[in-house]
Amino acid sequence: MATITGPTSVMCANARLDGYRNALTEAGIPVQEKYIRRGEFTQDSGYTLAMDLLEQDDRPTAIFAQSDFLAFGVYRAAHVLNLRIPQDLSVIGYDDIPTSQLLTPPLTTIAQPTSQMAAAAVHMIQDYRAGKSVDERLIMPTSLVLRESTAAPATL
């Protein structure tokens, strides 16, 4: 399983990459640096980096695109290379933006509690303005939105 994430200057990109590494390690799967790519959280970056990954002789059977926009680029690369999703390549996104369910096939993705995040941000700003101490980092639970872009590898 490969991953495509954002730049090192973006905190969530680093956190998501750490999560990817930890999940593989906990599952007993070695982390292979050759399957990790960093770019921008854009469709074009997803396309370019997916092409790089998918044109390898030992291409991955799955790509965890750490934003839905990156996943859109992965879909485009798969189309150009005549790879079927999910039969030839599983794709997972992150953010569960509304258009992710409109892809063919609909994108499996990670949803964030955006309403709760926005409310927490407002409270943090209010507390800061009131001179109260504010936690700079808040971790909220995410959830997997299972759709049709993932399947077991054909070789299993």
Side-chain angles (χ1 to χ4, degrees), residues 82-95:
N82 293 314
L83 296 173
R84 298 167 300 154
I85 297 171
Q87 296 90 340
D88 302 320
L89 177 69
S90 287
V91 182
I92 302 172
Y94 200 109
D95 293 323

Side-chain angles (χ1 to χ4, degrees), residues 52-75:
D52 181 50
L53 287 165
L54 297 172
E55 289 180 325
Q56 295 181 31
D57 289 335
D58 58 343
R59 71 171 180 80
T61 59
I63 295 179
F64 171 32
Q66 296 187 16
S67 82
D68 288 350
F69 288 114
L70 286 168
F72 298 166
V74 174
Y75 267 61

Side-chain angles (χ1 to χ4, degrees), residues 30-111:
V31 175
Q32 297 185 51
E33 295 299 320
K34 69 180 181 175
Y35 290 136
I36 298 173
R37 297 291 184 277
R38 280 191 180 268
E40 300 297 323
F41 284 123
T42 66
Q43 180 177 334
D44 287 342
S45 187
Y47 171 77
T48 300
L49 297 171
M51 289 295 287
D52 181 50
L53 287 165
L54 297 172
E55 289 180 325
Q56 295 181 31
D57 289 335
D58 58 343
R59 71 171 180 80
T61 59
I63 295 179
F64 171 32
Q66 296 187 16
S67 82
D68 288 350
F69 288 114
L70 286 168
F72 298 166
V74 174
Y75 267 61
R76 193 168 111 218
H79 176 76
V80 166
L81 297 172
N82 293 314
L83 296 173
R84 298 167 300 154
I85 297 171
Q87 296 90 340
D88 302 320
L89 177 69
S90 287
V91 182
I92 302 172
Y94 200 109
D95 293 323
D96 192 27
I97 63 174
T99 51
S100 64
Q101 59 190 313
L102 301 177
L103 296 174
T104 303
L107 178 65
T108 294
T109 186
I110 308 292

